[in-house]
Amino acid sequence: MQITADYGKCQGNGLCEGAAPSHFTVTDDGLVEIIKSDVAPAELAAVETAVSSCPTLAIRLQRD
Amino acid sequence: MTTEQPDIDISDMVDPAAFERGYPHHVWTELRHKSPVHWCEPEGFTPFWAVTRHADITTVSTNPHLFSSSGTMAIQPRAAQANEIPRDLQPPTVLNTDPPLHREYRNLVQPYFRPRVLAELENRVREITRELLDGLTGEQEFDFVDDFVAWHPLRMISQLLGIPREDEQIVLNMTNSVLAVDDPEFAADDRKDDSPEVEASVVSGTRWETFAPYLLDLIAKRRAQPTEDLASVIVNGEINGEPLDDMVAMIYLLIIATAGHDTTRNTLAGGMLALLENPDQLALLRESPSLAPLATKEFVRWATPVAHFARTATEDSELGGRSIKAGDVVALYYPSGNRDETVFDDPFTFRIDREHNPHLGFGIGEHFCMGSSLAQMEIKVLLEELIPRLEHIELAGEAERIRTTHIGGVKHLPIRWKLATS
């Protein structure tokens, strides 16, 4: 599984870092940074919440 | 693609008085089922499209290049539109701009509303909540809105902005007169004076002259001596490398101050009414306080304080099988999207443990509510503090709703309760 971000859509609302701080952070330029793109099974729920709560639909979880 | 549409009576959807009886869900449900993108030509209005399905609201909201926010913001009668300053003379705001300019405006304050930043403020929200509750302990009969929840988010946004407590009433009056222009209770004081020199309006018919001096004074003070508050960030901010002029700064402050509390107030009032009408849900929340975050989402879905926003099509496109023409106005009815049967199980049932709840109460896409995380934290903390202390609660009269088709909800909620000291 891989996380990808569309920086054209990202607005830096930061809901992703609120839901899954282990994988996402919003940098000083106001855009998401994916800290870790691999998702362990135990982390899946938090990452899924982060993806589904993105208000600009900017992040995706691609399943292998 | 169809050009025919069923004949549906949409009059309640554009009638502020109908909203006093509750949101016109009967109209929206019929539209969702029979004509989800519906051409509306009510008398006295510029015709517009009503968009009522979750999927179509999402499509419009996430395609700002096709559906611009720079046109009319809300559906209102032509007579009311005539009172507005022409769009091209209105100052740019975070509400009426499109990308890329919108990002510039948004980025001024967006960083301060991120969940990770707000987490540091949770204790302050808790203190405000406890202080307000401590003033209402024992057996009390009062208006849950005027005497309690009106002050809760107001105090927090005022603190963030750097507005002192003694000036909170000014902010409250400002909000009510800006957002409830159709409701005589809120607009009356402002409209008694019909002198021609005060007829200009920036935000739908409001006489902002009454509070402009206050905001201009705040701008001058924070420019002379910046502090750590959000007002200082805004008035000393830059857009594309240029400082904000007074008018733009003033409207920005106005938007953050008003949008920063009134919708949360209306959501808390609507959610509390739903708890009173569904005692099993109140009991469930009492048994399982950890449901507060899910209950918060359900409060927002259920109350959906923003009844609609409008967009203007920039080019011809297709939406829900209908042909939208460049220049057409499109109204997004969020409460309807939040009752969409294809998205929510039993959408007309209030369930505080609703797991799958992708509601549109904060909008979606480019103009997603900047304060969503603050609002959710405020509601969650209020539930966590209130529910364990609540020994009894009942309605003490009829709930009253705001007369408006735009930012709506419960404005008075008379209740009796018994609240433990702490």
Side-chain angles (χ1 to χ4, degrees):
Chain A
M1 260 177 291
Q2 284 274 314
I3 305 169
T4 56
D6 181 337
Y7 293 96
K9 289 181 178 172
C10 177
Q11 210 176 41
N13 285 282
L15 271 65
C16 53
E17 68 175 1
S22 54
H23 287 71
F24 304 95
T25 190
V26 175
T27 59
D28 288 344
D29 61 6
L31 293 175
V32 66
E33 182 187 327
I34 297 166
I35 310 168
K36 190 166 89 166
S37 87
D38 294 332
V39 185
E43 300 165 335
L44 186 59
V47 171
E48 280 179 337
T49 302
V51 170
S52 67
S53 62
C54 175
T56 56
L57 318 179
I59 44 180
R60 274 171 203 282
L61 184 60
Q62 288 177 337
R63 287 158 204 278
D64 300 326
Chain B
M1 202 177 300
T2 57
T3 49
E4 300 265 308
Q5 66 177 22
D7 193 20
I8 295 171
D9 179 4
I10 58 104
S11 53
D12 279 354
M13 195 174 75
V14 293
D15 179 9
F19 280 65
E20 284 188 298
R21 300 187 290 272
Y23 279 165
H25 278 296
H26 58 288
V27 178
W28 290 327
T29 299
E30 192 177 0
L31 287 174
R32 274 197 313 279
H33 292 172
K34 296 181 185 166
S35 185
V37 178
H38 190 77
W39 185 243
C40 303
E41 299 179 290
E43 204 180 325
F45 289 72
T46 304
F48 65 96
W49 294 98
V51 179
T52 48
R53 281 195 310 208
H54 191 285
D56 296 326
I57 294 170
T58 301
T59 298
V60 172
S61 304
T62 53
N63 286 286
H65 57 292
L66 291 178
F67 298 98
S68 168
S69 292
S70 68
T72 190
M73 203 179 295
I75 303 301
Q76 52 180 341
R78 271 190 219 103
Q81 282 177 325
N83 286 332
E84 284 195 346
I85 285 180
R87 294 300 302 190
D88 53 347
L89 296 181
Q90 290 190 20
T93 73
V94 75
L95 294 174
N96 68 13
T97 48
D98 297 312
L101 185 59
H102 174 252
R103 293 291 171 96
E104 292 280 329
Y105 279 92
R106 198 175 171 103
N107 287 345
L108 263 187
V109 304
Q110 176 81 74
Y112 299 87
F113 288 111
R114 280 160 48 199
R116 193 180 269 185
V117 176
L118 290 170
E120 294 165 22
L121 298 176
E122 184 165 323
N123 280 338
R124 237 200 282 173
V125 174
R126 212 168 282 281
E127 278 165 28
I128 290 171
T129 313
R130 285 181 184 160
E131 191 189 338
L132 286 166
L133 286 174
D134 286 345
L136 290 163
T137 53
E139 289 184 36
Q140 302 272 355
E141 185 172 328
F142 61 101
D143 182 347
F144 186 76
V145 181
D146 277 357
D147 302 326
F148 181 34
V149 290
W151 299 98
H152 184 264
L154 173 63
R155 187 149 295 165
M156 191 61 213
I157 197 68
S158 298
Q159 282 193 14
L160 280 175
L161 275 168
I163 292 172
R165 190 174 285 203
E166 59 268 25
D167 294 344
E168 286 172 354
Q169 186 70 50
I170 297 172
V171 179
L172 189 56
N173 293 350
M174 186 161 84
T175 302
N176 287 335
S177 67
V178 170
L179 292 164
V181 283
D182 289 319
D183 195 313
E185 177 181 336
F186 299 123
D189 288 350
D190 223 27
R191 289 193 165 177
K192 278 176 194 146
D193 178 6
D194 280 329
S195 56
E197 66 268 23
V198 287
E199 67 186 15
S201 80
V202 169
V203 190
S204 51
T206 304
R207 295 200 175 129
W208 56 274
E209 282 85 345
T210 50
F211 42 77
Y214 179 81
L215 293 173
L216 288 171
D217 182 56
L218 182 65
I219 291 167
K221 280 181 184 158
R222 293 301 191 274
R223 282 194 177 142
Q225 203 166 16
T227 55
E228 295 289 298
D229 56 37
L230 207 48
S232 299
V233 170
I234 292 169
V235 307
N236 297 303
E238 291 184 346
I239 299 292
N240 290 328
E242 297 285 323
L244 270 63
D245 70 34
D246 280 1
M247 181 60 118
V248 171
M250 184 171 75
I251 301 301
Y252 210 131
L253 289 174
L254 178 73
I255 288 170
I256 298 297
T258 55
H261 75 96
D262 75 302
T263 43
T264 312
R265 167 190 68 190
N266 299 355
T267 301
L268 283 164
M272 181 49 77
L273 178 59
L275 284 178
L276 286 160
E277 288 171 339
N278 297 275
D280 60 319
Q281 296 302 298
L282 180 57
L284 178 60
L285 188 54
R286 212 189 291 265
E287 282 162 30
S288 313
S290 62
L291 287 174
L294 286 184
T296 298
K297 290 186 85 174
E298 183 69 344
F299 267 39
V300 179
R301 184 188 78 89
W302 192 254
T304 316
V306 181
H308 78 275
F309 267 124
R311 300 285 190 268
T312 303
T314 57
E315 54 185 86
D316 294 358
S317 67
E318 192 190 324
L319 184 70
R322 304 298 301 270
S323 298
I324 312 290
K325 298 268 172 271
D328 285 356
V329 171
V330 171
L332 309 176
Y333 287 102
Y334 306 106
S336 174
N338 285 346
R339 296 292 185 279
D340 191 326
E341 300 80 356
T342 64
V343 175
F344 302 97
D345 294 333
D346 299 327
F348 284 92
T349 305
F350 177 74
R351 283 210 320 251
I352 60 142
D353 58 351
R354 189 179 286 278
E355 288 274 354
H356 179 68
N357 194 353
H359 68 73
L360 300 172
F362 294 118
I364 190 167
E366 187 67 24
H367 288 270
F368 180 77
C369 173
M370 275 201 289
S372 72
S373 299
L374 177 62
Q376 293 186 100
M377 182 170 79
E378 288 170 344
I379 297 167
K380 179 192 77 115
V381 168
L382 187 137
L383 292 174
E384 287 169 354
E385 293 295 323
L386 168 64
I387 300 300
R389 290 171 66 171
L390 198 55
E391 293 175 5
H392 174 75
I393 184 166
E394 63 183 21
L395 272 173
E398 292 253 344
E400 291 178 52
R401 292 178 170 82
I402 304 169
R403 183 188 296 198
T404 177
T405 64
H406 190 202
I407 313 285
V410 174
K411 65 173 180 178
H412 295 302
L413 185 63
I415 59 161
R416 260 186 299 275
W417 79 12
K418 189 171 178 207
L419 189 72
T421 44
S422 64

